[in-house]
DNA sequence: GTTTGTGAAACGCTTCACAGCG
DNA sequence: CGCTGTGAAGCGTTTCACAAAC
């Protein structure tokens, strides 16, 4: 449909276009990308929506709709050219340039993320490590030296940071976010278990590990309940009017802050 | 509306009821809970949907709809009793019993999660640490000794594990998932950057840290593009028919695998 | 007056199903 | 024939707006 080129009629100023993607599509593109990189390694050159869907854990209609938003160049009867698709997705996701990430809060989690191999190969570089504890400043992790939060603005400018990752305790998260915003950072990934408030134009994503567990806990709980209910019904059925509760929702999954891939037993 | 009690008419077998919550509501309940715990500490006893909404980063209509699914017992003109609301939410989320978590893959991330304070206070206990590397088996972290993946079934049974957290490399994730399922675990939180396939009745949630960054990167990219576009338009406007692309989507946020709290500049 | 609980409208996302193209 | 691209239908979620309750 589009993909970075305007209509280009004579007598018009043509301004390049940026695809207007549904948010749900944006969250899936990285998943397709991950699957495509895997598939590319196995030497395949072309892929159908059906196969990509299986590799990414979604259905093929979704893949086709999503890719059509990129101005997809699939070939009917054949599929999509993997290499080209990778290039297209990387381009819309802004991964053609390397993005510099600052990690604020060098505790347990900060340490782990600083060494997380999963970032480097996917267009990101942890370029700055920041902490408020003077005792930690100067510490080296890999080839990066921890700097002090008071120098954040300078660090952001010097290292050309575009994304800040907050791995502080919740009590410090809002202040860190404020400082990141003041330093010009417009994208924040917040691991602290709290809501951070930011001005318009700033983008915050939250990952709360305990919340993920709690969501799992709910479904665990419901399964236990259903088992109890079924056992009860088995023992009591055919006696007289048995009231059965908990009609199972038909709905499948949407996307989720963290991605989901739930599968639950049918009734 | 409901909340664990059937209609209870005479002459009927009454079976307890489990509330049928929309998935979107389930993902928000933990966020309300987090906010409520904070608010409870500041001595407030009652809270309006408006205030809770602000604390949880959503809007008040959503809060009221969500809570009404629990068979909400708010008081009109007053609000909700915090202590009671906490109890209700913890009950539907299955947090009244402590849940035992096994961590599989004791690398950087596994270490960090093993020591993550955010779990303990929220109903979860990391009760088992598992790795495939014999060199790591026997290592103690806190008060837990790392056991071998081959003993997973025994560990799960002994420690009464209900949730497995995968922090292995992607290459090992599917096998670990298979073993967890074989050992009877029905809830999996997967940090490995890959899709794991599980049988019906098993619940998998994925957290891919690089994907979160890529989503941020997309919006970063779009902002850069919009700036360029606007600059271009400023310089060229009023000349003749200027084609402006990128109509901004109106949509706000849904929930997300990881939660979101985006705010983006208006046009 | 304030705030809840909720039908109903609006919205976005997913899924269907098939025309169109290779 | 196989697979993409896409209108249109179907669903779930969000938002509106207001009657009911305190």
């Amino acid at each position: 449909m589009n993909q970075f080129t305007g209509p280009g009629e004579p007598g018009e100023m043509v301004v390049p276009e940026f695809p207007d993607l549904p948010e749900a599509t944006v969250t899936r593109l990285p998943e397709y990308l991950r699957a495509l990189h895997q598939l590319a390694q196995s030497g395949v050159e072309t892929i159908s929506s059906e196969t990509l869907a299986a590799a990414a854990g979604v259905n093929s209609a979704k893949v086709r709709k999503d890719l059509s938003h990129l101005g997809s160049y699939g070939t009917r009867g054949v599929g999509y050219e993997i290499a080209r698709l990778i290039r297209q997705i990387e381009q819309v996701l802004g991964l053609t340039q390397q993005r510099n990430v600052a990690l604020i809060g060098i505790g347990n989690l900060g340490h782990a993320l600083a060494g997380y191999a999963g970032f480097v190969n996917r267009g990101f570089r942890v370029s700055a490590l920041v902490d408020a504890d003077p005792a930690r400043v100067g510490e080296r992790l890999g080839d990066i030296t921890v700097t002090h939060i008071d120098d954040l603005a300078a660090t952001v400018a010097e290292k050309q940071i575009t994304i800040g990752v907050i791995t502080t305790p919740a009590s410090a998260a809002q202040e860190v976010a404020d400082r990141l915003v003041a330093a010009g950072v417009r994208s924040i990934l917040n691991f602290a278990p709290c809501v951070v408030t930011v001005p318009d134009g700033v983008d915050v994503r939250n990952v709360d590990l305990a919340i993920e567990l709690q969501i799992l806990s709910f479904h665990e709980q419901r399964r236990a309940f259903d088992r109890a209910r079924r056992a009860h019904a088995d023992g009591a059925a055919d006696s007289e009017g048995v009231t059965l509760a908990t009609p199972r929702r038909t709905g499948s999954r949407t996307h989720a802050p963290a991605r989901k891939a739930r599968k639950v037993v049918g009734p």
Side-chain angles (χ1 to χ4, degrees), chain A residues 138-168:
Chain A
E139 185 180 334
R140 288 182 64 95
L141 284 172
D143 55 351
I144 306 176
T145 304
V146 177
T147 59
H148 194 268
I149 180 78
D150 286 344
D151 303 326
L152 185 63
T155 304
V156 164
E158 187 190 330
K159 302 284 179 63
Q160 304 214 53
I161 301 297
T162 54
I163 301 178
V165 177
I166 302 179
T167 48
T168 64

Side-chain angles (χ1 to χ4, degrees), chain A residues 170-185:
Chain A
S171 54
Q174 182 62 56
E175 200 196 322
V176 168
D178 292 344
R179 290 196 190 207
L180 280 168
V181 171
V185 173

Side-chain angles (χ1 to χ4, degrees), chain A residues 254-267:
Chain A
T254 13
H255 47 106
R259 259 115 294 92
K260 310 160 191 170
R262 265 196 59 235
K263 309 194 177 183
V264 173
V265 275

Side-chain angles (χ1 to χ4, degrees), chain A residues 17-36:
Chain A
E17 200 173 330
F18 193 78
D20 180 31
L21 306 179
E23 196 53 37
T25 297
V26 174
T27 70
R28 280 188 300 265
L29 287 180
E31 301 173 26
Y32 299 153
L33 191 57
R34 202 177 62 183
L36 287 166

Side-chain angles (χ1 to χ4, degrees), chain A residues 235-249:
Chain A
D238 303 325
S239 56
E240 53 208 281
V242 173
T243 309
L244 285 185
T246 316
R248 179 64 52 56
R249 255 176 195 270

Side-chain angles (χ1 to χ4, degrees), chain A residues 18-148:
Chain A
F18 193 78
D20 180 31
L21 306 179
E23 196 53 37
T25 297
V26 174
T27 70
R28 280 188 300 265
L29 287 180
E31 301 173 26
Y32 299 153
L33 191 57
R34 202 177 62 183
L36 287 166
H37 273 129
Q38 273 177 352
L39 291 159
Q41 285 183 316
S42 49
V44 199
E45 293 193 344
T46 249
I47 193 176
S48 69
S49 60
E50 200 73 53
T51 311
L52 178 52
V58 299
N59 70 47
S60 61
K62 222 180 265 183
V63 168
R64 290 198 298 278
K65 257 271 148 74
D66 285 340
L67 296 185
S68 79
H69 284 115
L70 302 182
S72 189
Y73 295 99
T75 309
R76 292 168 197 234
V78 180
Y80 303 87
E81 192 198 322
I82 292 184
R84 185 180 193 178
L85 203 45
I86 288 178
R87 258 182 286 121
Q88 278 188 18
I89 295 178
E90 288 187 338
Q91 188 169 51
V92 285
L93 291 180
L95 302 176
T96 47
Q97 55 181 296
Q98 187 188 258
R99 298 212 171 261
N100 295 306
V101 173
L103 234 98
I104 297 96
I106 313 302
N108 266 338
L109 187 58
H111 262 99
L113 295 186
Y116 185 53
F119 290 155
V120 268
N121 300 324
R122 302 219 252 157
F124 300 96
R125 186 181 134 83
V126 177
S127 303
L129 302 171
V130 181
D131 204 291
D133 182 355
R136 262 206 250 274
V137 172
E139 185 180 334
R140 288 182 64 95
L141 284 172
D143 55 351
I144 306 176
T145 304
V146 177
T147 59
H148 194 268

